[in-house]
Amino acid sequence: MAPAITAEGLVKTFGDVRALDGVDLEVPEGTVLGLLGPNGAGKTTTVRVLTTLLRPDAGRAVVAGVDVLKEPNKVRSLIGLSGQYAAVDEYLTGRENLQMVGELYQMRSRDAKARALELLEWFNLSEAADRPAKTYSGGMRRRLDLAAALVVRPPVMFLDEPTTGLDPRNRMALWEVIETLVEQGTTLLLTTQYLEEADRLAHDIAVVDHGRVIARGSADELKAQIGGERVEIVVHDRDLIGTAVEALTPYAKGEPTIEKHTRRITVPVSGGARVLADVIRELDGRDILIDDIGLRRPTLDDVFLSLTGHAAEQGTETAEDAEAAEDRTVTTGKDA
Amino acid sequence: MTSTTAGAIGTVAPGQRTGLLQAARDSWVVARRNVRRMTRIPEVLVFGLIQPVMFVLLFTYVMGGAITVPGATADPHAYRQYLIPGIFAQTVTFAVAGASAGIAEDMTKGLVDRFRSLPMARGAVLTGRTLADLVQTTLIIVVLAVVAVLIGWRTHTAFWEVICGFLLLLLLGYAFSWIGALIGLSVRSPEAATSAGLVWLFPLTFISNAFVPVSTMPGWLQPVAYWNPFSATVQAVRHLFGNVPAGMVQTAWPMQHAVWVSAGWSILIIALFRTLSVRKYRRANG
């Protein structure tokens, strides 16, 4: 099937920061690509380039068969964008917001009005339709923002961290909406910091770090690469860390990570709860006292540790912070 | 979020509009949005009204007694006739602050990303804003004119001349909201935009013929005041309202051709600042 989104060698620098350092992507029509990475990895910058908000320094991109750099306005009529900050006018009502977006997609006013009502109903916002968005809760605003991205039922959609900052209930609800869209054939590029989210929603995952795609594949392929669950133990006696690692080695499917100061040892395993029981017996047999033990799923940090050898860097001077700074000097305010 | 009425993709086709028609319609949609916002935050309009009314009252009753206008009678009403067109003109220039703060606010919120990801005319976000400001300026001028009439201001010319006077004022206000647009695009926060929008207005409106006759200023300052675009509008409006003191002699060229100079300045400002602003908005495109 023809790819709905293609990016080749995208480069974008902000001052000294290379936000995008040669990003290549391909999203076949009707599939979901999850762009997974920590803050500042270049996820938002990639989305901004693909949605015509930012011109790359190098590279090319084609969305829905249209060249993003040559015919940006044509691309705009074929895409929907929903960002991590709800882009709605707080002083307009939900209905007015959606109608305005429809009209700016060049729909006729009557059609825009009808579509707004339909979307408000679908997103359970009918009751709040005539209240200013200012009065909406965070989850409602996010829903309104997503609805705005769906006004023309665009064949290609970009969701930039759609669930960041949402409570679990709203997150689940949003996931269901996204799944419905995909069932209906929308091609989706979604960015996320949560492996769980990418796992649940995306057919393919591209892991980005420092403006590069460092790994890609299906969720299962990535998991095979980084190992499945982790057994995490906290030994009581610091001196026994070495012995404990030794005891865990037969069960480990990868390198153990050791945090000396917290006496925490993490090893990738496969086999789930049975392995956990075996590990407990093994430690008990060696008289190693433990304060805590648990089985957990791999997190973004584990992915990064396995793929790059370093943890996901957050909060340092990141590419998107730099972009925000850069943007402010030019005019717009785009947050990382 | 249970039903599936999202419908099949691509079944709502975006309309096909191009060129000027699209630009006009998009600007109208954005203008309507900004006017709606105005009605939801009425404080802005209220304070926009209080300020010029306060200026009229302060100048009339506090300073008015101390200022005599050359060529006018000693009648205390004379300064009032002279002053009111100046206050009108100063009031319309405050459109700068509204436009700069409003656009800076749009820029710092995610909303501008929404606008820029839509297939809309590029200048429409700014044009829509300035048109909404024009609506607000018109409202303020109407209220101010009523207050002015209540304290004794009168026009002495034909109806069409009075209308032309008000149109010149609104044209100046519209021009200044484009200056505000550029300021709003150039600063980093709405707070900075408000100050940056206002700080230069005071010298601009005071080094002019708005409040005191230019002939009372030091010689080196007089040409500045005469050639100030703002002075031309004040003079033009006084002329069109019949508020120029009968005995006042105006020899400076811009004062003698004030109506045309005023219109010319305003159109020039619109052309220049609209071009710069739209370019800046586009360049924010990356």
Side-chain angles (χ1 to χ4, degrees), chain A residues 53 89 103 122 145 153 331, chain B residues 3 6 11 32-33 114 185:
Chain A
L53 297 178
D89 189 320
E103 286 170 353
W122 190 43
D145 186 61
R153 299 187 181 113
T331 58
Chain B
S3 74
T11 49
R32 198 182 51 192
R33 167 223 168 203
R114 162 80 60 222
L185 288 167

Side-chain angles (χ1 to χ4, degrees), chain A residues 48 53-55 76 81 89 91 96 103 105-107 122 124 143 145 152-153 177 184 186 331 333-334, chain B residues 1 3 6 8 10-12 14-15 22 25-26 32-33 37 40 107 113-114 116 119 185 284-285:
Chain A
R48 289 173 68 74
L53 297 178
L54 200 64
R55 263 190 109 77
R76 291 181 191 118
L81 166 67
D89 189 320
Y91 290 97
E96 288 165 347
E103 286 170 353
Y105 266 117
Q106 313 305 322
M107 286 165 76
W122 190 43
N124 275 344
R143 261 143 57 201
D145 186 61
V152 286
R153 299 187 181 113
V177 172
Q184 292 167 346
T186 309
T331 58
K334 173 69 205 107
Chain B
M1 278 181 267
S3 74
T11 49
V12 177
Q22 187 194 339
R25 200 233 191 189
D26 290 349
R32 198 182 51 192
R33 167 223 168 203
R37 282 174 67 94
R40 312 269 150 90
M107 286 292 159
D113 280 349
R114 162 80 60 222
R116 284 160 68 210
L185 288 167
N285 228 355

Side-chain angles (χ1 to χ4, degrees), chain A:
Chain A
M1 208 178 278
I5 305 172
T6 316
E8 285 169 16
L10 295 181
V11 173
K12 181 76 196 177
T13 51
F14 298 104
D16 295 338
V17 184
R18 225 170 153 77
L20 299 183
D21 193 10
V23 168
D24 299 313
L25 293 172
E26 199 173 283
V27 190
E29 208 178 303
T31 68
V32 182
L33 175 73
L35 219 51
L36 180 68
N39 276 333
K43 304 188 300 292
T44 297
T45 309
T46 305
V47 169
R48 289 173 68 74
V49 167
L50 294 174
T51 53
T52 76
L53 297 178
L54 200 64
R55 263 190 109 77
D57 300 333
R60 64 186 282 272
V62 178
V63 170
V66 184
D67 191 304
V68 174
L69 295 173
K70 287 186 190 132
E71 294 184 275
N73 231 28
K74 198 162 171 197
V75 170
R76 291 181 191 118
S77 64
L78 296 168
I79 61 170
L81 166 67
S82 175
Q84 74 183 279
Y85 295 92
V88 297
D89 189 320
E90 298 195 315
Y91 290 97
L92 297 192
T93 66
R95 184 212 300 258
E96 288 165 347
N97 263 295
L98 294 182
Q99 196 191 328
M100 173 179 74
V101 170
E103 286 170 353
L104 293 175
Y105 266 117
Q106 313 305 322
M107 286 165 76
R108 284 186 306 187
S109 295
R110 195 169 17 133
D111 298 343
K113 215 175 268 182
R115 180 64 178 153
L117 289 178
E118 199 175 279
L119 283 166
L120 288 164
E121 194 174 324
W122 190 43
F123 282 91
N124 275 344
L125 290 169
S126 288
E127 276 177 35
D130 292 316
R131 263 168 38 201
K134 219 162 109 80
T135 65
Y136 286 19
S137 68
M140 289 165 79
R141 273 187 214 204
R142 202 66 74 88
R143 261 143 57 201
L144 183 61
D145 186 61
L146 187 57
L150 288 173
V151 167
V152 286
R153 299 187 181 113
V156 180
M157 288 196 56
F158 297 86
L159 303 180
D160 188 16
E161 303 203 10
T163 64
T164 297
L166 284 189
D167 61 41
R169 199 173 58 92
N170 275 310
R171 173 170 298 174
M172 292 294 281
L174 215 56
W175 283 357
E176 281 170 26
V177 172
I178 293 170
E179 279 164 349
T180 310
L181 290 176
V182 175
E183 273 167 31
Q184 292 167 346
T186 309
T187 306
L188 195 68
L189 187 149
L190 114 124
T191 76
T192 179
Q193 298 187 37
Y194 309 112
L195 187 58
E196 189 196 359
E197 186 164 285
D199 190 5
R200 161 132 185 206
L201 298 175
H203 301 106
D204 279 301
I205 298 174
V207 183
V208 285
D209 185 34
H210 291 116
R212 286 178 163 280
V213 176
I214 56 171
R216 78 182 78 203
S218 67
D220 287 339
E221 285 165 356
L222 274 179
K223 276 189 191 154
Q225 205 176 337
I226 61 175
E229 308 109 315
R230 266 78 179 142
V231 166
E232 204 170 68
I233 65 168
V234 177
V235 296
H236 183 71
D237 186 349
R238 183 162 308 188
D239 297 337
L240 289 180
I241 289 178
T243 327
V245 170
E246 211 170 280
L248 290 171
T249 306
Y251 306 94
K253 295 285 172 226
E255 283 296 300
T257 351
I258 301 155
E259 276 180 58
K260 278 230 165 83
H261 60 289
T262 53
R263 309 183 307 280
R264 187 186 302 271
I265 305 167
T266 309
V267 287
V269 296
S270 64
R274 227 192 44 234
V275 177
L276 191 62
D278 291 345
V279 168
I280 293 172
R281 265 194 296 276
E282 181 79 35
L283 293 168
D284 205 34
R286 294 187 185 217
D287 279 336
I288 301 170
L289 206 57
I290 51 174
D291 286 349
D292 195 10
I293 184 160
L295 190 68
R296 64 167 177 82
R297 291 179 167 183
T299 62
L300 180 63
D301 275 333
D302 298 319
V303 173
F304 271 77
L305 218 52
S306 310
L307 292 173
T308 67
H310 65 81
E313 287 164 24
Q314 307 231 9
T316 53
E317 200 210 350
T318 61
E320 269 135 33
D321 288 340
E323 177 187 339
E326 180 93 357
D327 266 5
R328 264 176 234 297
T329 63
V330 191
T331 58
T332 167
K334 173 69 205 107
D335 296 293

Side-chain angles (χ1 to χ4, degrees), chain B residues 67-70 79 82 204-228 230-232 234-235 238 248-252 254-255:
Chain B
I67 304 174
T68 40
V69 183
Y79 180 61
Y82 180 82
L204 182 95
T205 55
F206 277 84
I207 306 173
S208 79
N209 55 356
F211 306 105
V212 297
V214 175
S215 58
T216 63
M217 294 179 192
W220 57 269
L221 198 57
Q222 290 188 14
V224 180
Y226 281 130
W227 283 92
N228 184 344
F230 179 73
S231 294
V234 174
Q235 176 65 22
R238 271 185 196 135
M248 192 178 217
V249 186
Q250 297 278 10
T251 50
M255 295 297 106

Side-chain angles (χ1 to χ4, degrees), chain B residues 85 157 161 233-244 255 258-259:
Chain B
T157 45
E161 286 178 290
T233 302
V234 174
Q235 176 65 22
V237 170
R238 271 185 196 135
H239 175 72
L240 290 167
F241 290 164
N243 291 146
V244 183
M255 295 297 106
V259 172

Side-chain angles (χ1 to χ4, degrees), chain B residues 24-286:
Chain B
R25 200 233 191 189
D26 290 349
S27 301
W28 157 248
V29 170
V30 176
R32 198 182 51 192
R33 167 223 168 203
N34 282 309
V35 170
R36 273 183 177 150
R37 282 174 67 94
M38 221 180 273
T39 63
R40 312 269 150 90
I41 330 169
E43 304 91 283
V44 176
L45 186 61
V46 169
F47 285 109
L49 277 171
I50 288 176
Q51 180 167 318
V53 169
M54 202 172 62
F55 261 67
V56 168
L57 300 179
L58 286 176
F59 269 94
T60 306
Y61 296 109
V62 180
M63 323 242 238
I67 304 174
T68 40
V69 183
T73 56
D75 175 11
H77 276 292
Y79 180 61
R80 230 166 275 184
Q81 308 302 319
Y82 180 82
L83 170 76
I84 297 297
I87 301 273
F88 279 146
Q90 192 196 33
T91 303
V92 300
T93 63
F94 282 118
V96 166
S100 62
I103 285 168
E105 194 190 336
D106 282 354
M107 286 292 159
T108 51
K109 299 251 167 93
L111 195 59
V112 74
D113 280 349
R114 162 80 60 222
F115 283 140
R116 284 160 68 210
S117 73
L118 294 174
M120 60 187 284
R122 296 283 89 183
V125 169
L126 304 177
T127 306
R129 173 75 219 191
T130 54
L131 288 176
D133 286 333
L134 187 60
V135 171
Q136 178 167 348
T137 305
T138 308
L139 279 176
I140 292 176
I141 284 294
V142 167
V143 173
L144 192 61
V146 170
V147 172
V149 167
L150 288 178
I151 64 162
W153 169 71
R154 296 290 180 269
T155 59
H156 308 278
T157 45
F159 180 69
W160 67 267
E161 286 178 290
V162 174
I163 293 298
C164 283
F166 280 113
L167 288 179
L168 264 190
L169 284 168
L170 293 178
L171 186 66
L172 181 75
Y174 188 65
F176 271 59
S177 63
W178 276 108
I179 301 180
L182 188 65
I183 294 172
L185 288 167
S186 308
V187 295
R188 290 155 201 239
S189 73
E191 293 78 16
T194 308
S195 326
L198 284 177
V199 72
W200 55 275
L201 276 183
F202 286 96
L204 182 95
T205 55
F206 277 84
I207 306 173
S208 79
N209 55 356
F211 306 105
V212 297
V214 175
S215 58
T216 63
M217 294 179 192
W220 57 269
L221 198 57
Q222 290 188 14
V224 180
Y226 281 130
W227 283 92
N228 184 344
F230 179 73
S231 294
T233 302
V234 174
Q235 176 65 22
V237 170
R238 271 185 196 135
H239 175 72
L240 290 167
F241 290 164
N243 291 146
V244 183
M248 192 178 217
V249 186
Q250 297 278 10
T251 50
W253 189 84
M255 295 297 106
Q256 289 181 325
H257 306 86
V259 172
W260 299 110
V261 174
S262 164
W265 271 120
S266 293
I267 289 166
L268 191 71
I269 292 171
I270 293 171
L272 181 65
F273 282 85
R274 188 178 194 281
T275 309
L276 292 175
S277 302
V278 173
R279 183 189 295 171
K280 189 141 188 129
Y281 179 85
R282 277 190 196 177
R283 226 184 44 196
N285 228 355

